[in-house]
Amino acid sequence: METSHSHAVARDTNKPLEPPSEFIVKVQDINDNPPEFLHGPYYARVAEMSNVGTSVIKVTATDADDPTYGNSARLVYSILQGQPYFSVEPQTGIIRTALPNMDREARQEYDVVIQAKDMGGHMGGLSGTTQVKITLTDVNDNPPKFAQGVYAMAVSEDKVPGEEVGRLKARDPDLAENGLVDYRILEGDGMNFFEITKDSETQEAVVKLKKPVDFETKRSYTLKVEASNPHVDPRFATWGPYKDTTIVKISVEDADEPPTFMAPSYNFEVEENAPAGTLVGRVHAKDTDIMNNPVRYMIPRYTDLEEFFTINTEDGIIKTTRPLDREAQSWHNISVSAAEIGGHHQDAKVRVNIKVKDVNDNAPEFATQNEVLVCENVSPGKLIETVSATDKDEMAHRQHFHFRLAPEVANNHSFSLKDNRDSTASIFVIRKGFSRLSQDVYHLPIEINDNGVPPLSSTNTLIIRVCSCDSKDTILSCNVEPFILSAGLSTGALIAILACIVILLAIVVLFVALRRQKKEPLIVFEEEDIRENIITYDDEGGGEEDTEAFDIATLQNPDGANGFLPRKDIKPELQYPMRPGLRPIGNSVDVDDFIKTRISDADNDPTAPPYDSIQIYGYEGRGSIAGSLSSLESVTTDSDLDYDYLQSWGPRFKKLADLYGTKDSADDNS
């Protein structure tokens, strides 16, 4: 609707002929706009198994036409897709369920198409559509269900408690907490041997071993297992129990098990000092398998390192290998292993505790070995010591030690002994006073008897030392050294004796030093001895007796030594008489004379190396059996050899044959 103004004017003058007039123009609407769903598409949820007519969602369409004029804006809703599951109210657009018992497990999502048409739904009206996606939500309307009525499982008899035997599962198509399943064992002969737990991730029932099973005792077990929903919807409780049951049969498989000892441990006793081979006891194990193989026994060496015991491999009898000493080791804890012969080397071990029974084989002795100190002025009848004893053996009930003085001192006049009958004895003085000067130590032998079976006794010596005391019987000194010194030498005399010993030692050291000083010039080191050996090079020497080096002694007097070659590093055994007037004076204190005498002896000793003599090196030896081949002396020396044979030696010896032949001919001519 619009408002307009108009007025009339003269054509020739263009002036208004009348005042302006107002006109109202109203525009009549027509149906030219279709309905529109401005909020589509729509998504809705409704619980499964809802009653018919349950409201799901409301859809609304708008029309731009004038709702007050005619039916152009009057809308009517209808469902184009989604029947027969859902319906829509024509006037309000509310979508409702149209079928009962809609099951989510059968179909969960539905696509619904809703149409809005104007003109009240009559012919010629315009329309618009929208989509609505409807999802069914889950409710606990399904109980758990086992897929099988009987489940079969197996477990080996060597499995330990806690190991898994098998799994089973009850399926529940519901979701989330509606699909949770709990398991429990209702009954069966395997309730005490098996247990059931749940895997929270897979919702499976896990059967585990609770106690060990034995194939030889029972070979199969049966369990009745129940699966149930922990959360039940009361609306559907009348539909039936939300649980299911099944049977689980578990068979026990045989395994090669180690032997089994008849006792968890063994305790034996054997007397100490029993001879080797003494019976200790017997262990027994058996094979629990069907095969019932024989068993072999052994003692692992690490449990009996010193090999005190041995065991019979066939019957398990344990014996000793040598006598045992209870005082060294009162208990022996060893192990015995048993293994099947022909098995899989599996063994079982058992603890064997062996107690060594005591035998009275140790004599008693003093509990302490302390000396007893007594004053010189001790009064008669005074208790000076209470002695006790100890024994390495076990003390039997009512057993105690007996004390008495040894027979050789039973009638002494110094000390007495009283047995207190409580395994102690008291020592008393029976004389008046002691003197350290006459005797400062007393040895009192005491016999101790242990009253055992058999009884053993020993003699132990109690040492009693006499000490000087004051008037209050306080010990001042028990040292006996001052009395020994006073009875023997004085301190000054001892010092003088020590001084003399020191002086004598100094004289001996000086004498040894002088002897070393005298011998040093005669000592020639090997690397400094350049006069002893003469090394010859390209020298004919002394024939067969020649060597690479000549000893000086040989060069000096080769024929006088008679083959005896003295050595410089040892004293010669051949002693030559000393010259008169050169005999050393044994008690002479003149060192100069002593040295001169020794030098003279060395100079006149023909066997000593001549370090201070002039040597002659022209000696070539004593000759050879073969003679010399040199021609230097052949002209002047008469030779008994005949050299005629050289004529037949060929041209190489022609010159030599001419020389000797000429000589021979000259001799003949003369």
Side-chain angles (χ1 to χ4, degrees):
M1 183 171 56
E2 297 180 358
T3 301
S4 62
H5 298 273
S6 64
H7 57 274
V9 296
R11 183 177 295 178
D12 52 352
T13 60
N14 201 24
K15 293 182 179 180
L17 299 179
E18 58 181 11
S21 300
E22 183 180 38
F23 297 92
I24 298 174
V25 180
K26 185 176 182 181
V27 180
Q28 187 177 359
D29 183 35
I30 63 173
N31 188 19
D32 58 350
N33 291 282
E36 294 181 353
F37 291 91
L38 300 179
H39 301 289
Y42 295 88
Y43 297 91
R45 299 168 64 89
V46 64
E48 64 173 333
M49 298 297 172
S50 297
N51 296 327
V52 175
T54 301
S55 175
V56 179
I57 191 174
K58 179 181 180 180
V59 296
T60 302
T62 59
D63 195 323
D65 294 329
D66 186 3
T68 63
Y69 181 79
N71 295 326
S72 298
R74 190 165 67 88
L75 303 179
V76 174
Y77 299 93
S78 61
I79 182 168
L80 299 182
Q81 179 180 326
Q83 295 175 332
Y85 306 103
F86 300 95
S87 63
V88 62
E89 292 183 355
Q91 305 302 326
T92 60
I94 297 175
I95 301 175
R96 299 181 182 274
T97 58
L99 283 180
N101 301 329
M102 295 178 66
D103 190 4
R104 183 200 65 83
E105 288 72 33
R107 182 177 179 181
Q108 184 174 358
E109 295 182 349
Y110 296 86
D111 293 324
V112 178
V113 178
I114 302 298
Q115 181 189 63
K117 190 175 183 181
D118 58 8
M119 297 301 289
H122 296 293
M123 294 293 293
L126 301 177
S127 64
T129 60
T130 186
Q131 288 188 346
V132 181
K133 182 178 285 294
I134 301 175
T135 302
L136 298 183
T137 59
D138 183 61
V139 296
N140 190 11
D141 58 340
N142 293 279
K145 187 69 175 177
F146 285 108
Q148 301 174 211
V150 178
Y151 289 85
M153 299 179 182
V155 60
S156 178
E157 64 175 339
D158 59 355
K159 297 296 183 181
V160 298
E163 292 198 39
E164 181 178 324
V165 177
R167 295 190 174 209
L168 65 158
K169 184 177 182 179
R171 300 189 177 276
D172 190 331
D174 296 325
L175 300 178
E177 66 177 12
N178 296 324
L180 294 178
V181 181
D182 289 340
Y183 301 92
R184 65 174 182 147
I185 300 176
L186 295 180
E187 58 184 5
D189 55 5
M191 291 185 65
N192 295 329
F193 294 90
F194 301 93
E195 60 183 356
I196 194 166
T197 60
K198 184 178 76 170
D199 188 335
S200 58
E201 294 184 0
T202 61
Q203 294 294 309
E204 292 177 318
V206 182
V207 181
K208 294 183 177 181
L209 188 64
K210 185 177 180 181
K211 291 173 58 177
V213 292
D214 186 15
F215 175 81
E216 290 73 25
T217 303
K218 188 173 176 60
R219 302 187 180 183
S220 65
Y221 295 89
T222 302
L223 299 175
K224 186 176 183 180
V225 180
E226 178 190 75
S228 60
N229 287 139
H231 305 286
V232 179
D233 194 334
R235 296 176 300 171
F236 309 102
T238 58
W239 289 21
Y242 282 79
K243 58 183 67 175
D244 193 17
T245 59
T246 188
I247 300 298
V248 179
K249 291 186 176 181
I250 304 173
S251 61
V252 180
E253 297 178 343
D254 189 22
D256 186 12
E257 298 176 296
T260 302
F261 282 95
M262 298 296 98
S265 63
Y266 293 88
N267 296 306
F268 300 126
E269 291 184 351
V270 61
E271 287 190 355
E272 68 171 326
N273 303 326
T278 300
L279 176 65
V280 176
R282 180 186 180 187
V283 297
H284 181 59
K286 67 176 183 178
D287 182 16
T288 57
D289 298 322
I290 297 179
M291 299 298 294
N292 194 19
N293 292 324
V295 176
R296 184 182 302 275
Y297 302 92
M298 68 169 292
I299 299 176
R301 283 302 99 190
Y302 65 87
T303 65
D304 184 21
L305 296 176
E306 300 185 27
E307 300 185 10
F308 286 110
F309 306 96
T310 182
I311 189 170
N312 189 301
T313 58
E314 297 180 358
D315 56 18
I317 295 178
I318 302 174
K319 295 182 179 180
T320 60
T321 60
R322 57 182 178 271
L324 305 178
D325 185 7
R326 188 204 67 86
E327 286 70 39
Q329 188 172 351
S330 60
W331 281 90
H332 295 268
N333 301 316
I334 65 173
S335 294
V336 174
S337 64
E340 301 175 25
I341 300 177
H344 293 81
H345 304 289
Q346 299 184 71
D347 63 343
K349 292 183 176 60
V350 69
R351 196 70 175 173
V352 179
N353 305 312
I354 302 172
K355 179 182 179 181
V356 182
K357 297 172 63 177
D358 184 45
V359 174
N360 191 28
D361 58 346
N362 290 276
E365 58 187 11
F366 280 147
T368 60
Q369 300 294 333
N370 298 331
E371 292 184 352
V372 178
L373 305 180
V374 62
C375 294
E376 286 182 306
N377 55 353
V378 63
S379 58
K382 181 176 178 57
L383 173 66
I384 61 172
E385 183 69 10
T386 300
V387 295
S388 59
T390 183
D391 196 330
K392 295 180 181 179
D393 297 316
E394 293 180 349
M395 294 295 291
H397 183 60
R398 295 182 179 179
Q399 181 179 352
H400 58 275
F401 299 113
H402 295 285
F403 299 84
R404 70 169 184 173
L405 293 177
E408 60 268 22
V409 296
N411 298 321
N412 77 94
H413 302 289
S414 300
F415 306 98
S416 65
L417 180 144
K418 177 186 177 183
D419 192 340
N420 299 325
R421 300 191 178 278
D422 59 355
S423 296
T424 64
S426 300
I427 309 298
F428 296 92
V429 176
I430 60 176
R431 63 180 287 184
K432 182 179 181 180
F434 296 88
S435 174
R436 287 191 296 165
L437 295 177
S438 59
Q439 185 175 356
D440 65 318
V441 176
Y442 292 85
H443 295 84
L444 189 65
I446 300 176
E447 288 188 1
I448 310 175
N449 189 295
D450 60 8
N451 195 29
V453 180
L456 293 179
S457 63
S458 65
T459 300
N460 297 260
T461 301
L462 182 66
I463 300 176
I464 303 174
R465 187 175 296 278
V466 179
C467 303
S468 62
C469 305
D470 57 11
S471 59
K472 297 182 180 180
D473 292 340
T474 301
I475 296 176
L476 299 178
S477 174
C478 295
N479 190 3
V480 298
E481 182 179 355
F483 299 95
I484 297 176
L485 292 177
S486 61
L489 298 175
S490 63
T491 304
L494 290 177
I495 294 175
I497 293 174
L498 292 176
C500 293
I501 294 174
V502 172
I503 293 173
L504 290 175
L505 290 175
I507 294 174
V508 172
V509 171
L510 178 61
F511 180 75
V512 173
L514 290 176
R515 288 182 63 86
R516 290 184 178 179
Q517 185 177 3
K518 173 181 69 65
K519 292 182 179 180
E520 282 179 359
L522 300 179
I523 298 177
V524 179
F525 294 96
E526 182 179 355
E527 62 270 17
E528 297 178 357
D529 188 4
I530 61 176
R531 298 172 298 172
E532 178 179 356
N533 294 329
I534 298 175
I535 308 301
T536 61
Y537 300 92
D538 197 17
D539 187 357
E540 291 184 357
E544 291 182 354
E545 293 184 356
D546 190 15
T547 59
E548 293 184 358
F550 296 93
D551 192 283
I552 319 174
T554 304
L555 295 178
Q556 178 189 10
N557 189 8
D559 297 324
N562 297 323
F564 174 77
L565 300 179
R567 294 175 57 186
K568 68 178 185 300
D569 56 343
I570 63 173
K571 184 178 180 180
E573 297 180 358
L574 182 60
Q575 298 294 333
Y576 291 87
M578 299 176 60
R579 292 186 303 169
L582 297 178
R583 184 181 302 274
I585 301 174
N587 298 327
S588 176
V589 295
D590 191 346
V591 178
D592 185 50
D593 294 341
F594 176 79
I595 294 176
K596 289 180 180 180
T597 302
R598 292 300 184 185
I599 292 176
S600 176
D601 292 342
D603 290 340
N604 293 278
D605 187 0
T607 62
Y611 293 107
D612 54 352
S613 62
I614 299 176
Q615 307 299 325
I616 300 174
Y617 299 97
Y619 179 70
E620 292 185 344
R622 288 193 292 270
S624 172
I625 299 176
S628 175
L629 296 179
S630 175
S631 62
L632 296 179
E633 299 178 350
S634 60
V635 178
T636 59
T637 304
D638 294 333
S639 176
D640 297 335
L641 297 177
D642 186 6
Y643 297 99
D644 291 341
Y645 59 86
L646 294 176
Q647 300 293 336
S648 61
W649 280 19
R652 293 186 179 183
F653 294 90
K654 184 176 183 301
K655 186 65 176 176
L656 187 61
D658 292 341
L659 291 175
Y660 284 90
T662 302
K663 174 182 179 298
D664 294 339
S665 60
D667 293 340
D668 296 335
N669 294 331
S670 60

